[in-house]
Amino acid sequence: MGKKKAEKMTYDKVEVVDNGDDVWWWLICRSIGASFLCISVFALLVRVAVSLHPYSGAGNPPKFGDYEAQRHWMEITLNLPAKEWYRNSTINDLSYWGLDYPPLTAYQSYVHGLFLRSFDPDSVSLFTSRGHETYLGKLLMRWTVLSSDALVFFPAVFGFVSVYHTSRTSSRKADIVWHIAMLLLSPCLILIDHGHFQYNCISLGLTVGAVAAILSQKELVASVLFTLALNHKQMSAYFAPAFLCHLLGKCLRRKNPLLEVSKLGLVVIGTFAVIWWPYLHSTDAIFGCLVQVLSRLAPFERGIYEDYVANFWCTTSILIKWKQLFTTQTLKIISLTATVLSCLPSMVQQLLAPSSKGFLYGLLNSSLSFYLFSFQVHEKSILLPLLPATLLALEEPHPFKWLTHLALFSMFPLLCRDKLVLPYVALYALFTLLYHAPGRCSGRSKTSKTDYSSVASIMIGLLYVCSFILHIVYLTMRPPEKLPFLFEAVIMLLCFSQFMLFACYTNAKQWWLSKRLTTDKEKKHI
Amino acid sequence: MEDQNPPNSTSKLLLWFFSISACVKLLLIPSYHSTDFEVHRHWLALTRSLPLSKWYSDETSPWTLDYPPFFAYFERSLSLIAHLVDPRIVDVYNGLEYKANSVIYYQRISVILSDLCLVYGVYRLTKNLEVKRRDLMWVLVVWSPGLMIVDHIHFQYNGFLLGWLLLSISCLQEGKDLMGGFLFAVLLCFKHLFAVAAPVYLVYLFRHYCSRGFVRGFGRLLLMGAVVVAVFTAAYGPFIYHGQIQQVIRRMFPFGRGLCHAYWAPNFWVFYIILDKVLSVILRRLGFGIQIPAASFTGGLVGYSSPFAVLPRVTPATTFIMVLLALSPCLIKAWRNPQPGLIARWIAYAYVCGFLFGWHVHEKAALHFVIPLAIVAVQSLEDAKHYFMLSIVSCYSLFPLLYEAQEYPIKVMLLILHSILMWLGFSAQFNKKSVTKAANKKKGTQLEVKGSCERGGFMMGWVGKSYLFGLLIVEIWGQFLHSYFLGDKLPFVPLMSISIYCALGIMYSWIWHLKIDRVEGEVTPAFLKFPM
């Protein structure tokens, strides 16, 4: 129904613009649904093509990589009862890729395990399947990601697009199609899910679904969906402050704030209870079981940072040796405080003036501050801030492009290790091409160009050149022996500085937004 | 973009299309490694390391050079760079079965870049066309799933060769007959399978180029003859000089190969074989002593004993005559009224005939008519409908080329994407609103589009729909149900059903071509009774 509305509305606009000057007349002549279908098939094609390439840890015993982790979880969940999944035992050696995601991931692994078992039983048999790498096994595993993407992420994006563009007043049909392409062909997500091998599409898809539900004022559905996302990957908590504050802010504005809040709370608790049911059975064991699972989910023993992630702790560790100066316990508190403080402004904004647009900015800000300041962040977590940035692509086309560029760049060393340079290059080029699709938004690009002063554009140009040179250097040159991780550190530094700037910009933008809204209202009153 | 585009921004969109497809092609580099890789690698090595006199007589590898000399020169020029990339690629002996990343990347990228020829061909062909048709044609040609499957997954250089063909057609359409003839002669020296259209060229050029008075016409005939002879001399001259010409011819025309390929290309001979089998079974039931021929279904029909039990044996000469007969209506039309506007249609028709009745036709040859037909497809609603059906069928008939599970989703996605693009594009072009608009804008010049307006938008008739739906059933049966119900019994049935079913579609297309009668610029009503 939302779709039809969008269709009608945008149809009128297409009429205004002369048909002749639109290059995409053939793509957008039918409904948005048809264009979406077309782009999603293309997106699936790209995903399948990426999945031909190696996954993380391919042919690299004894620990392999994320692919083996996911396969191992299928093996565990398929062969053991639910209670044993998170418990270390002779059968379930947690030091070998023990399950460290919430139960929804485990259930998903179970379902996918069933699929694998029906075609290739050897790939998920207990013990004997460790390090199982075959042609068929790889294909089946790849297809599980592909199907999850098509079943969760794609419909969620469709839902989001149809809701978002009915509320938006200035969308041309070509813009909507462009937005769909940006969402479905996000190079980072494709590289991590279909190249490196993970199931981010599920948790991110659920989050997008929740966002769509919030934009269409269905708070209860949104709570359920976001709780599911949270229970698929605990990293979804990066978005939690934004959801919390937006919903709270909205509830406080209604007749019965307490009732509204308790309704939402009940739904969230109910969803949690359903998902954690196997661990809530007997009252005395509850605590033990929960602690077991929770301790698996929060791996504090792994330290405040790993590898070379472009966040605050890792970057400043060049100057301040955090790990040596503080104990893990204090570091936990410090990082928590830093995270909360950094996302406080956007939270407060949403509490004071909850709005759909502000909510999207809030998502971006809270996930960025988690990425930058929270404990134990992985390079791949940049996917989380990137998602709301993509949702806002039409509002902020240039910053969005810049963030995608940096996100890709920050994952470059990781993808190099996975031997995914070729898909990296191809998807990078594809993204750039799609972003600069000919004939797109001729009116807006002129206005947004004026936003940038010449100094800024020169700076950005320089940074592009820098990152390009760094790519080449990273691929072709060997670092000096004394500093084996020199290039990684430089990449990290560059990305971190830009992420910080970006975070400041988006925070400012969010506050400015509320200001503008209030002034608009005042004007109306006058 | 405005209607009157400056050439710069026009080509920008085309280059954008090309780059998008190039990205996908890059991603497809690690896909299925066919034997054609080794074939072309060996040719690289052959042309680089051996003297010209031994190119066609070398037998180091079973993959001997069987393309005409220009293609050998083309491989030679590629081998110059290949040598710099990795010397082992061009080593005749040590390079055998060499499968390192360097070879694969080099070969794949050379195909992707050689596709620029196709892009230029399509650009030349469309540069004076109205924007809508032009965009659509680009979508159809540059994103052609058949080319993607054959060139960029299976590995061949068809995009490059078809680019030459399109260039030649564009010259003919502009009235530059000499240039068109020259380009076609060059094309023939790249790949002789394109020769099927030679009769059309011959008749058309003779009537269109050489018919301006006796003296002037004769002069032009001589000029054209001289150009063609010059091209062929450039190609074959060196081999004649070395006394190798007989060997070259023997390699290029291996008639010992049999009527059909291992997987039957969906053409007329499929019906002939099936009829033979059915007849032999019936006659045996009736008590006639019919011998079962030694040749099997899947093993192809190789050899010198007749593979047919009842029907007369088919020889290369028979197929040659059949092709000429099938071509004759079009030749007569070209003789009577040689119009530049119809030449693309006639050439495509010639390749359809060659595909249907030719000797040892490979399913890849379907590309020879699908790509030129894209030019025709945007001209009217009837053509669009026909192209929609034909390109889906011919792309589907390429499916058995990629038989591994890994490529399965890729080929399916490619076909679905192509179908959706065609559906979106054609329905946008032929929807009522824009048609009336266009007709208002340019009255009189839009006759053919007006004709389509009366029939409503782009919709397939029920026969077409159910035929395409049948493809789905054939595919599901072949992929899943067959092994489920029959197990290992009758292993040839899935492939055979694809052949037969696709052959039906292509036969229909042939008849459609025969029945539809066109004069340049307007459409006389089609006589087809099928609501396709």
Side-chain angles (χ1 to χ4, degrees):
Chain A
M1 33 142 261
K3 186 181 111 189
K4 271 190 183 164
K5 249 188 197 171
E7 218 174 279
K8 246 189 185 173
M9 200 193 65
T10 48
Y11 192 65
D12 297 337
K13 262 160 219 149
V14 173
E15 284 301 289
V16 176
V17 184
D18 185 30
N19 272 345
D21 78 341
D22 209 316
V23 211
W24 300 110
W25 58 273
W26 52 274
L27 189 60
I28 57 176
C29 77
R30 294 224 166 205
S31 64
I32 284 298
S35 310
F36 180 84
L37 188 70
C38 182
I39 296 172
S40 56
V41 172
F42 179 68
L44 277 177
L45 175 70
V46 169
R47 281 163 165 77
V48 182
V50 170
S51 75
L52 297 172
H53 293 261
Y55 43 81
S56 78
N60 186 18
K63 280 284 266 188
F64 302 94
D66 274 349
Y67 171 86
E68 170 64 11
Q70 298 284 353
R71 197 210 51 73
H72 180 67
W73 297 346
M74 291 177 198
E75 168 199 337
I76 291 296
T77 50
L78 203 58
N79 293 300
L80 298 180
K83 277 187 185 172
E84 298 289 320
W85 290 348
Y86 291 92
R87 190 193 295 161
N88 199 15
S89 63
T90 46
I91 317 169
N92 185 9
D93 176 14
L94 285 186
S95 65
Y96 183 81
W97 296 118
L99 199 51
D100 53 6
Y101 282 127
L104 198 58
T105 295
Y107 303 142
Q108 165 242 316
S109 296
Y110 177 75
V111 173
H112 285 155
L114 285 176
F115 170 73
L116 251 72
R117 188 163 67 182
S118 61
F119 288 98
D120 186 14
D122 289 344
S123 66
V124 282
S125 59
L126 199 56
F127 291 129
T128 52
S129 66
R130 280 199 185 177
H132 183 91
E133 290 185 293
T134 55
Y135 177 82
L136 185 63
K138 176 187 170 186
L139 268 186
L140 293 172
M141 290 284 282
R142 291 291 200 193
W143 288 351
T144 60
V145 192
L146 209 66
S147 57
S148 325
D149 220 346
L151 292 177
V152 180
F153 192 72
F154 283 49
V157 165
F158 185 68
F160 170 78
V161 167
S162 45
V163 174
Y164 178 67
H165 289 284
T166 40
S167 63
R168 214 164 167 271
T169 45
S170 57
S171 297
R172 288 194 311 154
K173 213 165 174 183
D175 285 344
I176 303 177
V177 171
W178 178 81
H179 198 189
I180 296 172
M182 287 294 115
L183 279 161
L184 291 185
L185 287 154
S186 167
C188 301
L189 181 62
I190 298 179
L191 279 170
I192 293 300
D193 274 12
H194 300 272
H196 179 86
F197 205 92
Q198 275 194 342
Y199 292 90
N200 293 300
C201 50
I202 299 181
S203 60
L204 292 182
L206 290 169
T207 311
V208 173
V211 173
I214 283 204
L215 294 190
S216 56
Q217 317 296 336
K218 295 188 182 91
E219 275 104 23
L220 292 179
V221 180
S223 318
V224 171
L225 285 175
F226 184 65
T227 315
L228 288 177
L230 209 56
N231 276 300
H232 189 265
K233 282 203 161 189
Q234 62 269 41
M235 264 82 91
S236 303
Y238 286 21
F239 299 125
F243 274 96
L244 186 75
C245 297
H246 180 78
L247 288 177
L248 206 61
K250 260 189 183 168
C251 288
L252 292 180
R253 253 141 239 279
R254 296 212 176 123
K255 273 184 190 169
N256 243 334
L258 209 63
L259 183 73
E260 298 283 335
V261 173
S262 52
K263 250 187 352 196
L264 289 179
L266 272 178
V267 164
V268 171
I269 292 171
T271 318
F272 260 103
V274 169
I275 292 169
W276 291 71
W277 191 247
Y279 309 95
L280 299 172
H281 262 326
S282 46
T283 40
D284 53 324
I286 278 184
F287 194 67
C289 256
L290 275 184
V291 167
Q292 243 174 35
V293 179
L294 287 177
S295 69
R296 291 295 308 158
L297 299 188
F300 286 116
E301 71 279 4
R302 280 162 83 174
I304 191 160
Y305 58 83
E306 259 184 318
D307 293 339
Y308 282 83
V309 54
N311 77 349
F312 178 75
W313 307 112
C314 193
T315 313
T316 49
S317 71
I318 298 172
L319 300 172
I320 311 161
K321 299 290 168 209
W322 298 104
K323 280 183 181 172
Q324 290 159 22
L325 281 173
F326 301 101
T327 59
T328 309
Q329 203 56 42
T330 32
L331 276 179
K332 267 190 226 173
I333 295 166
I334 294 176
S335 68
L336 183 68
T337 330
T339 315
V340 170
L341 279 179
S342 60
C343 66
L344 207 57
S346 83
M347 288 167 77
V348 171
Q349 193 273 338
Q350 274 304 289
L351 273 178
L352 293 179
S355 68
S356 295
K357 217 176 189 183
F359 168 61
L360 292 178
Y361 278 97
L363 284 175
L364 180 54
N365 287 325
S366 79
S367 53
L368 256 177
S369 57
F370 267 81
Y371 177 80
L372 289 172
F373 295 106
S374 72
F375 201 88
Q376 242 293 314
V377 176
H378 199 276
E379 288 107 308
K380 284 168 270 183
S381 304
I382 193 62
L383 285 177
L384 293 139
L386 193 59
L387 181 74
T390 320
L391 296 181
L392 280 167
L394 276 172
E395 304 288 333
E396 304 275 352
H398 290 280
F400 157 66
K401 181 189 169 196
W402 188 228
L403 187 69
T404 308
H405 169 80
L406 287 167
L408 267 172
F409 190 33
S410 72
M411 292 193 300
F412 184 58
L414 173 83
L415 295 170
C416 268
R417 253 177 282 145
D418 293 343
K419 301 192 186 77
L420 289 170
V421 179
L422 178 70
Y424 178 88
V425 172
L427 284 183
Y428 206 138
L430 190 65
F431 170 75
T432 318
L433 285 167
L434 289 174
Y435 182 87
H436 293 289
R440 189 184 71 84
C441 46
S442 47
R444 187 156 22 73
S445 62
K446 275 174 206 156
T447 53
S448 52
K449 253 180 198 165
T450 51
D451 291 350
Y452 274 87
S453 64
S454 56
V455 183
S457 58
I458 289 173
M459 278 301 291
I460 286 185
L462 263 179
L463 283 169
Y464 269 119
V465 174
C466 269
S467 63
F468 180 72
I469 294 172
L470 265 173
H471 275 115
I472 305 286
V473 164
Y474 190 85
L475 281 178
T476 52
M477 281 165 63
R478 292 175 67 87
E481 297 239 330
K482 274 186 190 171
L483 301 163
F485 295 109
L486 176 70
F487 298 149
E488 278 92 343
V490 175
I491 292 174
M492 172 187 78
L493 218 70
L494 184 96
C495 291
F496 171 70
S497 63
Q498 295 303 308
F499 287 153
M500 279 302 273
L501 271 178
F502 192 85
C504 295
Y505 169 77
T506 50
N507 268 299
K509 196 78 195 265
Q510 191 182 347
W511 274 93
W512 186 66
L513 199 76
S514 69
K515 229 180 204 174
R516 199 177 54 177
L517 275 179
T518 48
T519 49
D520 278 358
K521 269 179 196 165
E522 278 162 16
K523 270 181 196 166
K524 268 181 194 168
H525 278 294
I526 293 164
Chain B
M1 282 198 189
E2 311 270 306
D3 264 26
Q4 281 85 31
N5 278 302
N8 189 19
S9 70
T10 321
S11 51
K12 200 175 137 195
L13 182 67
L14 180 59
L15 279 179
W16 188 83
F17 281 169
F18 171 73
S19 319
I20 290 279
S21 74
C23 287
V24 178
K25 290 165 189 169
L26 276 178
L27 285 174
L28 289 174
I29 285 183
S31 57
Y32 172 59
H33 186 98
S34 70
T35 48
D36 273 337
F37 270 97
E38 175 58 16
V39 173
H40 283 90
R41 193 215 53 78
H42 183 65
W43 292 356
L44 285 177
L46 207 70
T47 48
R48 162 87 192 170
S49 311
L50 296 180
L52 191 124
S53 56
K54 287 194 178 156
W55 285 3
Y56 283 90
S57 53
D58 176 76
E59 279 180 354
T60 328
S61 156
W63 313 118
T64 52
L65 187 54
D66 55 6
Y67 273 37
F70 273 174
F71 200 83
Y73 300 152
F74 173 66
E75 292 276 1
R76 159 95 190 162
S77 64
L78 283 179
S79 72
L80 295 179
I81 308 167
H83 179 71
L84 300 177
V85 174
D86 182 357
R88 202 173 149 191
I89 298 175
V90 292
D91 194 317
V92 178
Y93 303 104
N94 292 327
L96 285 181
E97 298 292 326
Y98 188 43
K99 278 184 189 168
N101 272 344
S102 62
V103 197
I104 295 173
Y105 277 63
Y106 180 73
Q107 289 191 305
R108 289 268 197 217
I109 290 172
S110 73
V111 180
I112 295 173
L113 289 181
S114 71
D115 264 2
L116 279 170
C117 183
L118 180 75
V119 171
Y120 181 68
V122 106
Y123 167 71
R124 250 211 84 151
L125 218 114
T126 53
K127 65 183 174 189
N128 294 324
L129 221 60
E130 94 184 83
V131 178
K132 284 201 163 187
R133 290 181 181 184
R134 190 199 65 193
D135 290 355
L136 204 57
M137 208 195 289
W138 289 350
V139 171
L140 295 180
V141 174
V142 179
W143 291 345
S144 158
L147 272 181
M148 198 75 110
I149 288 175
V150 175
D151 276 15
H152 301 278
I153 301 179
H154 189 82
F155 193 80
Q156 266 191 351
Y157 290 93
N158 290 299
F160 167 72
L161 299 169
L162 287 165
W164 279 101
L165 183 67
L166 293 189
L167 272 181
S168 163
I169 294 176
S170 78
C171 286
L172 291 187
Q173 284 190 347
E174 286 170 20
K176 296 174 184 162
D177 289 347
L178 190 63
M179 191 64 186
F182 165 74
L183 286 171
F184 186 68
V186 172
L187 179 66
L188 287 189
C189 295
F190 268 113
K191 192 171 180 179
H192 49 303
L193 288 180
F194 282 99
V196 182
V200 174
Y201 267 88
L202 208 67
V203 171
Y204 174 80
L205 287 178
F206 184 70
R207 292 288 294 167
H208 190 258
Y209 183 65
C210 314
S211 63
R212 313 269 164 82
F214 183 74
V215 179
R216 200 162 154 223
F218 191 69
R220 285 189 159 189
L221 184 66
L222 279 184
L223 186 63
M224 180 64 82
V227 165
V228 172
V229 167
V231 169
F232 276 79
T233 318
Y236 295 94
F239 298 96
I240 296 172
Y241 173 77
H242 288 290
Q244 284 282 312
I245 191 67
Q246 276 189 325
Q247 177 67 15
V248 173
I249 303 289
R250 211 175 303 137
R251 281 279 168 85
M252 277 168 48
F253 297 100
F255 280 117
R257 272 189 187 170
L259 177 63
C260 283
H261 197 254
Y263 156 63
W264 307 342
N267 62 10
F268 173 76
W269 302 118
V270 170
F271 297 122
Y272 193 78
I273 297 167
I274 296 297
L275 183 66
D276 179 69
K277 298 281 173 199
V278 171
L279 277 181
S280 73
V281 169
I282 292 173
L283 290 179
R284 220 172 291 137
R285 286 272 168 83
L286 292 175
F288 292 93
I290 305 283
Q291 296 244 316
I292 300 169
S296 74
F297 276 116
T298 47
L301 300 160
V302 190
Y304 298 94
S305 70
S306 171
F308 295 104
V310 185
L311 294 177
R313 192 180 168 186
V314 180
T315 60
T318 332
T319 61
F320 184 71
I321 293 165
M322 291 279 284
V323 172
L324 271 187
L325 273 179
L327 266 178
S328 53
C330 148
L331 294 181
I332 293 169
K333 265 185 222 166
W335 180 272
R336 280 190 188 151
N337 188 9
Q339 298 165 24
L342 289 180
I343 188 70
R345 198 180 289 275
W346 290 333
I347 290 171
Y349 174 74
Y351 288 125
V352 172
C353 295
F355 185 83
L356 275 178
F357 301 107
W359 180 262
H360 194 83
V361 173
H362 202 283
E363 67 271 20
K364 291 175 220 161
L367 286 175
H368 293 183
F369 59 82
V370 171
I371 299 293
L373 268 181
I375 308 165
V376 180
V378 295
Q379 288 178 2
S380 75
L381 184 65
E382 284 300 315
D383 288 311
K385 282 181 182 173
H386 166 250
Y387 184 78
F388 184 79
M389 194 275 298
L390 184 65
S391 74
I392 289 178
V393 170
S394 65
C395 175
Y396 179 66
S397 74
L398 293 172
F399 270 22
L401 212 54
L402 307 172
Y403 53 87
E404 287 187 16
Q406 185 178 245
E407 280 75 25
Y408 189 74
I410 296 180
K411 60 186 184 186
V412 173
M413 291 292 164
L414 278 172
L415 180 56
I416 294 177
L417 181 63
H418 182 62
S419 318
I420 295 177
L421 282 175
M422 279 196 296
W423 174 64
L424 281 177
F426 287 144
S427 46
Q429 197 192 358
F430 298 113
N431 77 7
K432 277 184 178 171
K433 232 175 186 174
S434 71
V435 166
T436 43
K437 258 189 186 174
N440 288 339
K441 266 186 191 169
K442 303 172 189 170
K443 272 180 187 166
T445 55
Q446 295 286 327
L447 270 172
E448 67 263 45
V449 189
K450 256 189 182 168
S452 65
C453 181
E454 290 155 17
R455 286 153 193 257
F458 178 77
M459 275 287 282
M460 299 292 284
W462 65 270
V463 174
K465 266 185 197 155
S466 43
Y467 176 75
L468 290 178
F469 184 70
L471 280 182
L472 194 70
I473 293 171
V474 169
E475 178 61 15
I476 291 172
W477 172 263
Q479 284 296 325
F480 310 104
L481 301 182
H482 181 83
S483 55
Y484 182 77
F485 284 118
L486 296 175
D488 294 335
K489 273 184 273 175
L490 306 173
F492 53 84
V493 166
L495 278 186
M496 200 176 75
S497 51
I498 294 179
S499 282
I500 296 173
Y501 201 74
C502 291
L504 276 175
I506 291 173
M507 285 296 278
Y508 161 78
S509 156
W510 177 62
I511 297 167
W512 180 87
H513 271 286
L514 275 182
K515 283 200 167 184
I516 208 148
D517 188 21
R518 269 163 211 283
V519 188
E520 189 178 3
E522 63 181 283
V523 178
T524 53
F527 301 115
L528 267 192
K529 296 290 178 283
F530 292 123
M532 270 279 185

